[in-house]
Amino acid sequence: MTYPRELWENTQFHGEEYPFYCFRNRAAPVRAGQQVLWMHWHVHFELIVMLKGEAVFHIESRPYDTKPGDILLVPSGGLHVGYAATDEPIEFFALVFNGSMLESSAHDRLHARLLAPYATGQARFPVHIAKRGEAGGPIRECVERAIEEFEGRQRGYELTIKSYLILLFAYLARQHPSPLAADDSAAAPVRGTERFKPLLRYVEEHYDERISVEDAARQVNLNPYHFCKLFKKMTGRTFVDYVNRHRMNEAERLLRDTDLSITEIAERVGCGNSNYFTKLFKRHMGTTPSQARGR
DNA sequence: AGGATTATTTCACCGTAACC
DNA sequence: GGTTACGGTGAAATAATCCT
């Protein structure tokens, strides 16, 4: 899985004037349940356009089953993660952009009234903005054109993409005239995921240590049962699975980039028992550590 | 590789508070 | 008063981990 870590949280984009980034994400040999989009969040919006295969994205605690033709809009700050739903190859396009992309250079009352609340996160749209099987429609068209522009990269494509994004938001605002206020109950999961972010970051940095569910639950002031329940609701996976995924990812990197022995690698990623490490690795990656190194 | 030991996840069921 | 989200318990089912 290739997902740029740079997109974590408060990423700076290359161009200040056009803060966006696109990438086509392919997961060719996939097993159902495999993670195809790293769990992360950032202040930017993210458009996810399903191109091939089936995946389930968990965005702000809610699962979204997607097939080609589905388009999701991850709100600013929204925690998101994606898993393969079948063994079929998966392909999706992700367009990450900052709300400032939607700003207007001149003072514009209409803009301030219609778009600013969405761009700044005071109001939000539903996540699933276009569904497969639906007739084209302007919303889908904006997204598809923006992608075309990105892929064509003709002169000034940044500006056309920006225009399509503004257009997209304008159509969305028209389609959802009574937007969900950010503090509305319908948008409430934000509060729920907010509390987990420090913990997720903690795991990012300490997956090489022993992390018990009890400790983790304490960090977010929940009893272990509720912690498990909420964590699963939020991420679609259990906490242990989440931690192990980090470990296996790092292990794969170490196998590839270093000459450390399997035992040493197991040790480094927080699996004291190399026997168990191999078992885990095989389950997550489909091959044993030594096979993975051989390739 | 298999089995023993721990840890976790989930279940059924209950209470509270906020909101309509 | 019904509904929804959030919290909690003990116990049982499952899964992780460790130990030959």
Side-chain angles (χ1 to χ4, degrees):
Chain A
M1 181 181 57
T2 57
Y3 195 86
R5 283 298 179 84
E6 312 83 70
L7 287 175
W8 198 265
E9 203 135 21
N10 293 311
T11 323
Q12 293 303 310
F13 294 99
H14 305 301
E16 290 224 337
E17 280 178 287
Y18 298 100
F20 74 92
Y21 189 77
C22 306
F23 50 96
R24 200 179 259 271
N25 209 324
R26 292 186 178 87
V30 158
R31 281 162 293 126
Q34 186 180 316
Q35 201 164 341
V36 293
L37 178 64
W38 198 252
M39 187 184 309
H40 69 295
W41 67 92
H42 37 63
V43 297
H44 318 297
F45 291 87
E46 183 164 334
L47 276 166
I48 295 175
V49 185
M50 207 57 193
L51 301 175
K52 208 184 275 177
E54 296 177 30
V56 45
F57 292 92
H58 286 256
I59 297 167
E60 295 281 38
S61 298
R62 290 205 173 86
Y64 298 89
D65 292 311
T66 59
K67 291 182 184 174
D70 282 311
I71 302 176
L72 305 179
L73 176 60
V74 181
S76 168
L79 187 65
H80 50 297
V81 60
Y83 306 102
T86 67
D87 293 341
E88 303 298 307
I90 283 183
E91 196 172 328
F92 62 92
F93 197 89
L95 174 60
V96 182
F97 59 96
N98 194 281
S100 62
M101 275 286 274
L102 307 166
E103 274 167 19
S104 145
S105 48
H107 177 68
D108 179 342
R109 252 191 252 175
L110 193 59
H111 184 283
R113 189 157 54 83
L114 286 181
L115 290 192
Y118 298 100
T120 57
Q122 290 168 298
R124 44 168 63 199
F125 303 116
V127 167
H128 208 157
I129 58 171
K131 300 191 168 72
R132 57 183 178 268
E134 263 175 4
I139 287 172
R140 179 182 303 282
E141 199 163 317
C142 288
V143 177
E144 286 173 355
R145 288 276 169 80
I147 293 177
E148 276 169 32
E149 283 292 326
F150 178 76
E151 305 222 300
R153 286 211 187 53
Q154 293 189 51
R155 184 159 177 263
Y157 73 96
E158 297 95 335
L159 184 57
T160 55
I161 289 180
K162 174 176 175 161
S163 307
Y164 281 125
L165 289 177
I166 291 175
L167 201 50
L168 170 69
F169 270 59
Y171 280 124
L172 282 170
R174 177 183 289 170
Q175 204 175 70
H176 305 282
S178 51
L180 314 169
D183 55 350
D184 215 27
S185 60
V190 188
R191 285 204 310 275
T193 57
E194 222 37 66
R195 73 194 300 181
F196 281 90
K197 288 178 180 177
L199 173 66
L200 297 180
R201 225 181 322 221
Y202 177 86
V203 173
E204 272 285 299
E205 288 161 13
H206 298 91
Y207 57 82
D208 56 330
E209 297 165 22
R210 205 183 159 70
I211 308 173
S212 74
V213 167
E214 206 173 330
D215 290 340
R218 223 188 334 264
Q219 280 200 40
V220 289
N221 298 314
L222 286 172
N223 72 13
Y225 164 57
H226 266 96
F227 173 74
C228 291
K229 195 164 79 170
L230 286 182
F231 196 90
K232 182 142 193 186
K233 185 179 177 204
M234 189 178 71
T235 68
R237 291 303 161 90
T238 64
F239 177 68
V240 168
D241 190 79
Y242 174 76
V243 175
N244 284 338
R245 203 170 284 277
H246 275 278
R247 294 180 166 157
M248 296 308 111
N249 255 19
E250 174 65 4
E252 190 183 39
R253 192 187 68 74
L254 290 173
L255 283 165
R256 207 178 41 231
D257 300 348
T258 72
D259 294 327
L260 294 170
S261 72
I262 309 268
T263 316
E264 280 172 312
I265 289 177
E267 194 69 42
R268 260 200 214 202
V269 299
C271 290
N273 185 328
S274 63
N275 195 355
Y276 177 58
F277 167 72
T278 298
K279 211 187 275 186
L280 255 191
F281 192 89
K282 180 150 188 204
R283 194 170 64 225
H284 279 264
M285 302 301 186
T287 61
T288 64
S290 47
Q291 284 172 330
R293 169 161 274 165
R295 284 185 296 157

